[in-house]
Amino acid sequence: MKNSESITVFQLTLLGMTAVGFNNHVIVIPPLIQAAGRDSWMSVLISFGFMLLWGFLFVYIHKKTRQQHLFLWLQQHIGKFFSIVIVISICLYVVILAASTLRETIIWANIVFLPATPVWVLAFLFILLCVLTAASGLRTVSIINVFLLFFIIILGFFVATANLQFKDYSLILPLLEKGYSPVFKASIYAASGMIELIMFLFLQQKIDAPIRYRHFLVNALLLTGLTIGPLIGAIAEFGPVEASRQRYPAYEEWGLVQLGRFVEHVDYLSIYQWMSGAFIRVSLFLFIMLEILNLKDKRKVWWILLPVFAVLMGLTLFPVSDMQSYEFLKSILLPSLLLFVVGLSVLLGGIVIMTRNKGGRQPNG
Amino acid sequence: MRHWKFMAIIVILFPLLAGCLDSNEPEQMVYIHGLGVDYKKGRYIIYLQMVNLGKLAKSEVGGGEKMQMEVGRASGKSMDEALFALYKSIQRKVFWGHLSFIVFTEEALKNKALNDTIDLFDRYRETRYRIWMFSTKGDVKQLLLSSPMLGISTALTRVAEPRGSYDQSSILKPMNMRELIMQLDEPGYNAVIPTVSIAKNTWQSNEKKRAAIQADGVAIITPRKLQGFISSNDVKGLRWMTEESKRNGLLLKKKGRRAAYVLLLSPSVTIQPEVKNQDVYFTIKIKVSGYVNEIDQKISEEFLCREAEKVIEKEVQQTYLKGLELDADVYRLSNTLYKKNVDAWKKVAKNGVIPLRKDSISVQAQVKIRHVGKQRLRPTIQ
């Protein structure tokens, strides 16, 4: 499957760090701390264990579908109707993820930096940028990502080390003061973030070599680190109670940075991190949507992207309060997304097993 | 096709030129530097200290004109109402991001002004966690009006930048909003806020006496109420219990006469809780080392160490007992038990507080004297 549009597993991993990592870094942490407080870092470890198991299923599906385009492969094996149902549901999944990312990003900018700028201006420009990038292909997204991610990582280590002076790790003690059940409940959130690695299946035809379990392991480890770092950081800097009160714990960590007496207020750097993370994430998901639909006619791309643009605008600006949309994200959206992906991957695994026994249905035949 | 796309992007970007909706002209804003909160007859009275930013960094020029700061006063039923009453007479847009300190009066602390203030500044986008928090028993307006000596920058008063002086004489650890919130959030649920007052007779300039801000004990507060104040004489134990306290002076006596003045640096503290039946006992071990600054009698090294240990143990006990009088847990022992033995804590704690008695703590200090400065261990001139 080597062609000019293919990327390496390494580049894919970098994309995963930005696109999926954004979710784990930003969106998942507030509900995680709210649900399990001091012990929420254990939830992340639990979901890492879960991911190790799920990884076998992932690699199995990936291997048995022989890196074919998922839609085409499905059409071959279960017929057109069911494969369209599956593909449409995947499209809905990525659009919902893109919309929740956009909403979280735009509302955040509005709350902490730009109270006077109309939200729709921010949303319009941001979505436009993402749509254009998605339309220009995976290579483009991947190359931009390398540049953006480089500084995201540098800034990430900067904020983590600059704040060492404020961190009191004894705040994660005592362990399990409220027992195991909140820890398990909260691991749903951590897992709903990490399991987005299923994206790699939707992109498998674009990768120049198969993904091995060790690649998957590295990705899962990176995501675990990306979640647990700012999570423990927030607990050690603010205590679990204040951290769970904060709307944006990862951002608040930037507010603390102080180098001596005169260098402070550097939290504008978080805008770069957040915006570029969200940009790659949304662009990549929109690209996945276009890719999985397997459009033959390139002009049709815009027939898809324009309505999606409108849908994204609508969902981003949907007139419910931030409190309500956060509550929806926490109690309905994140758990159901996890359920969807688990269901989807089990279904795909089932199809793989069944078709292997039957030898597969031949196309046109 | 390409040209068309390019043009479209340019056209879309046009409206932005007229935008900059959130831009603020830095030189046209006013900057709040300090805030005083008082409470009288159901109303908050706030004092806003504004500084002239243009004069903040120019200490080397010699201070320039006299007027570096101004204080505004307004009242209202809530913090925000009081602030909006003040906005009526503020000439420019106010920027809160450089708010450095807040001083609460006794009345304000008694009436939960702390809770309201923290909520406001924790929520508002411009303000950060690093605001220093103080309490005072005196007149908060005078405190805000007192300018630092020698016309140095107003950004460097004791309350605006307490760390400088704390490094040299670590009597009371300054506390910022983040630490205060954590102390109130974590079991033990009481916070120790340093108190400041005006020293009227300590300093004098050419013409007249001048007022200066001084550290003056602590206030102990819970989320619900003010437990009370401990004066600076009774609060000395706290410095030995604070690992950040870098430099502590201690006068030692022999046979009732002064013998030496030692400086002890950065104590290391371990607190070991022990549960016997329904009671909890804490063994506090303080290890500290330092050097001698002043010798007035002939003494031995052994004497220096043992005597310093005795004084430290006494100071720690004294502050603890003062805390008990206010029904407060000055050393946050409850929190230590909570972290080390949460099951025991759950058994004995009532409303998050464990019952403490006079004999609940035992203190063991261990002092090492590293050197005696540039001289020998005897008075320089006898």
Side-chain angles (χ1 to χ4, degrees):
Chain A
M1 278 306 230
K2 279 185 192 179
N3 60 46
S4 63
E5 264 295 296
S6 71
I7 59 172
T8 62
V9 176
F10 177 65
Q11 286 167 327
L12 185 72
T13 304
L14 294 184
L15 276 173
M17 278 175 78
T18 321
V20 185
F22 176 87
N23 191 25
N24 291 265
H25 223 66
V26 173
I27 298 181
V28 157
I29 286 181
L32 202 52
I33 298 184
Q34 279 196 327
R38 237 182 270 281
D39 297 322
S40 47
W41 58 278
M42 294 186 204
S43 317
V44 182
L45 294 184
I46 290 176
S47 51
F48 174 64
F50 164 73
M51 284 301 282
L52 290 184
L53 294 178
W54 186 78
F56 289 111
L57 180 60
F58 172 91
V59 174
Y60 180 72
I61 299 172
H62 178 65
K63 208 166 150 188
K64 294 294 173 188
T65 52
R66 290 192 205 89
Q67 272 192 275
Q68 292 172 60
H69 191 290
L70 210 59
F71 188 27
L72 300 180
W73 181 84
L74 280 171
Q75 269 187 345
Q76 276 175 28
H77 291 88
I78 59 168
K80 200 156 191 178
F81 178 73
F82 288 108
S83 46
I84 286 181
V85 169
I86 291 179
V87 163
I88 296 283
S89 66
I90 292 173
C91 286
L92 279 177
Y93 172 64
V94 292
V95 169
I96 287 172
L97 287 181
S100 65
T101 307
L102 284 164
R103 194 178 165 92
E104 196 82 354
T105 306
I106 302 295
I107 302 287
W108 167 74
N110 181 245
I111 290 177
V112 304
F113 290 112
L114 301 170
T117 309
V119 187
W120 69 264
V121 174
L122 297 174
F124 181 79
L125 291 172
F126 200 84
I127 300 174
L128 181 74
L129 203 60
C130 296
V131 166
L132 289 176
T133 315
S136 51
L138 185 60
R139 268 282 169 96
T140 318
V141 181
S142 173
I143 291 170
I144 300 176
N145 176 56
V146 172
F147 285 102
L148 294 179
L149 182 63
F150 180 71
F151 292 103
I152 295 180
I153 291 175
I154 289 181
L155 289 175
F157 280 107
F158 169 67
V159 68
T161 47
N163 279 341
L164 274 180
Q165 51 180 328
F166 304 119
K167 288 181 185 172
D168 174 7
Y169 286 104
S170 76
L171 280 162
I172 63 170
L173 293 172
L175 305 178
L176 295 171
E177 56 177 325
K178 293 189 178 112
Y180 288 99
S181 78
V183 177
F184 281 108
K185 264 185 205 158
S187 64
I188 292 173
Y189 298 119
S192 87
M194 288 192 218
I195 208 158
E196 284 181 9
L197 283 180
I198 197 170
M199 297 301 165
F200 291 0
L201 279 188
F202 309 152
L203 288 173
Q204 58 182 357
Q205 68 280 4
K206 290 278 186 185
I207 309 161
D208 66 356
I211 304 171
R212 311 255 175 238
Y213 189 78
R214 60 171 189 274
H215 299 139
F216 181 86
L217 185 70
V218 168
N219 273 285
L221 268 175
L222 283 171
L223 290 180
T224 307
L226 277 171
T227 318
I228 223 166
L231 182 67
I232 294 187
I235 294 171
E237 283 159 24
F238 304 109
V241 187
E242 176 69 4
S244 71
R245 280 192 291 245
Q246 292 169 341
R247 179 65 182 84
Y248 307 108
Y251 159 70
E252 296 284 0
E253 291 172 31
W254 269 105
L256 285 188
V257 176
Q258 209 175 358
L259 303 172
R261 175 68 181 89
F262 292 107
V263 182
E264 53 186 23
H265 286 82
V266 293
D267 42 352
Y268 58 87
L269 293 170
S270 69
I271 304 176
Y272 170 85
Q273 278 192 313
W274 193 313
M275 288 289 166
S276 47
F279 164 65
I280 292 295
R281 182 170 161 86
V282 174
S283 305
L284 181 71
F285 287 175
L286 292 181
F287 172 79
I288 288 175
M289 181 195 70
L290 295 176
E291 179 64 23
I292 201 97
L293 288 170
N294 196 36
L295 302 165
K296 293 269 159 38
D297 184 355
K298 287 301 164 198
R299 260 174 300 177
K300 275 193 188 152
V301 165
W302 290 100
W303 287 108
I304 302 289
L305 277 180
L306 288 178
V308 168
F309 192 123
V311 167
L312 288 180
M313 277 294 274
L315 287 176
T316 309
L317 306 175
F318 199 70
V320 294
S321 68
D322 183 49
M323 295 83 84
Q324 286 174 28
S325 68
Y326 174 75
E327 201 46 45
F328 174 74
L329 181 87
K330 184 182 149 194
S331 42
I332 300 175
L333 191 62
L334 292 181
S336 18
L337 290 179
L338 173 67
L339 215 62
F340 170 75
V341 179
V342 172
L344 179 68
S345 50
V346 169
L347 181 68
L348 290 177
I351 296 172
V352 168
I353 292 174
M354 276 175 7
T355 52
R356 190 187 55 173
N357 292 343
K358 283 185 198 162
R361 204 195 294 177
Q362 290 308 307
N364 307 325
Chain B
M1 186 65 184
R2 260 174 199 281
H3 284 287
W4 183 83
K5 265 189 207 166
F6 186 69
M7 286 305 291
I9 293 173
I10 299 282
V11 169
I12 286 162
L13 289 175
F14 274 153
L16 290 179
L17 290 175
C20 303
L21 289 149
D22 276 292
S23 76
N24 291 308
E25 314 290 332
E27 70 280 5
Q28 290 190 13
M29 296 176 85
V30 291
Y31 295 87
I32 304 299
H33 188 236
L35 180 68
V37 183
D38 197 359
Y39 186 90
K40 251 178 215 139
K41 294 177 192 156
R43 294 174 77 83
Y44 289 117
I45 303 162
I46 57 159
Y47 296 89
L48 272 192
Q49 187 196 60
M50 277 184 215
V51 292
N52 186 341
L53 270 200
K55 290 184 181 131
L56 269 190
K58 290 192 179 161
S59 55
E60 71 270 26
V61 192
E65 301 116 85
K66 268 198 169 168
M67 202 167 58
Q68 288 189 330
M69 55 169 100
E70 293 193 27
V71 174
R73 174 190 185 278
S75 70
K77 287 194 199 72
S78 80
M79 281 295 294
D80 241 10
E81 195 181 280
L83 288 176
F84 274 85
L86 206 54
Y87 282 155
K88 277 194 262 179
S89 61
I90 294 182
Q91 314 297 317
R92 300 296 314 166
K93 193 174 176 184
V94 169
F95 183 70
W96 286 91
H98 292 289
L99 179 64
S100 299
F101 65 91
I102 306 178
V103 186
F104 295 93
T105 63
E106 185 172 359
E107 280 304 305
L109 290 179
K110 274 183 190 159
N111 290 288
K112 289 193 179 179
L114 183 80
N115 307 26
D116 285 20
T117 314
I118 286 183
D119 182 84
L120 179 63
F121 291 115
D122 199 358
R123 202 178 289 285
Y124 191 53
R125 65 177 181 278
E126 285 172 4
T127 37
R128 305 297 202 282
Y129 280 101
R130 52 145 190 78
I131 305 166
W132 300 108
M133 311 294 261
F134 291 95
S135 56
T136 186
K137 279 170 149 177
D139 182 355
V140 67
K141 190 168 94 191
Q142 287 308 314
L143 232 133
L144 293 180
L145 278 173
S146 96
S147 52
M149 40 204 65
L150 296 176
I152 58 171
S153 165
T154 38
L156 300 173
T157 54
R158 258 205 95 85
V159 280
E161 184 45 52
R163 284 170 302 183
S165 147
Y166 184 68
D167 287 350
Q168 186 156 43
S169 169
S170 315
I171 302 168
L172 292 170
K173 183 172 177 289
M175 160 121 61
N176 60 31
M177 189 164 88
R178 183 180 62 90
E179 293 161 327
L180 181 63
I181 291 174
M182 274 202 281
Q183 289 201 352
L184 291 174
D185 279 345
E186 290 291 305
Y189 307 110
N190 66 12
V192 181
I193 309 175
T195 306
V196 283
S197 65
I198 290 279
K200 289 205 175 93
N201 297 319
T202 315
W203 293 90
Q204 188 160 11
S205 65
N206 299 358
E207 306 98 38
K208 53 173 187 177
K209 285 183 178 165
R210 63 152 30 258
I213 303 172
Q214 67 178 357
D216 190 20
V218 293
I220 299 180
I221 189 159
T222 68
R224 298 228 176 85
K225 62 175 196 191
L226 172 70
Q227 305 280 84
F229 288 89
I230 303 182
S231 71
S232 52
N233 275 332
D234 293 327
V235 85
K236 286 178 183 161
L238 258 181
R239 54 182 174 166
W240 307 116
M241 299 293 287
T242 312
E243 299 203 321
E244 291 95 332
S245 74
K246 286 186 188 157
R247 203 165 182 264
N248 295 292
L250 192 59
L251 176 69
L252 301 179
K253 287 179 180 170
K254 188 179 178 186
K255 292 173 192 156
R257 284 174 48 221
R258 65 197 151 83
Y261 198 81
V262 294
L263 279 181
L264 300 172
L265 318 173
S266 305
S268 91
V269 186
T270 50
I271 305 175
Q272 195 52 51
E274 195 186 341
V275 186
K276 288 180 193 156
N277 306 323
Q278 278 299 301
D279 295 318
V280 192
Y281 295 90
F282 295 90
T283 311
I284 300 171
K285 284 187 183 155
I286 301 166
K287 278 187 189 169
V288 63
S289 69
Y291 55 92
V292 175
N293 236 13
E294 188 181 317
I295 292 180
D296 306 302
Q297 281 188 49
K298 211 169 170 216
I299 39 174
S300 69
E301 189 179 342
E302 175 70 16
F303 173 83
L304 272 178
C305 296
R306 296 300 88 78
E307 194 59 23
E309 283 162 8
K310 260 188 242 163
V311 179
I312 290 174
E313 283 163 13
K314 206 182 99 202
E315 288 186 354
V316 172
Q317 284 283 2
Q318 189 188 351
T319 306
Y320 173 73
L321 294 178
K322 278 288 161 188
L324 278 195
E325 279 174 26
L326 300 174
D327 199 18
D329 178 6
V330 222
Y331 299 140
R332 299 177 53 75
L333 298 168
S334 184
N335 193 252
T336 310
L337 179 67
Y338 175 73
K339 276 181 184 162
K340 295 203 169 168
N341 189 345
V342 68
D343 293 330
W345 182 85
K346 278 180 185 161
K347 263 182 222 153
V348 294
K350 289 185 184 93
N351 299 323
V353 182
I354 58 170
L356 291 171
R357 297 197 318 252
K358 283 184 181 177
D359 60 349
S360 299
I361 64 165
S362 67
V363 191
Q364 298 162 13
Q366 191 185 337
V367 175
K368 271 187 191 143
I369 299 293
R370 300 239 177 263
H371 60 82
V372 291
K374 295 188 293 176
Q375 287 280 321
R376 307 283 176 190
L377 183 58
R378 56 173 174 255
T380 307
I381 299 177
Q382 267 173 325

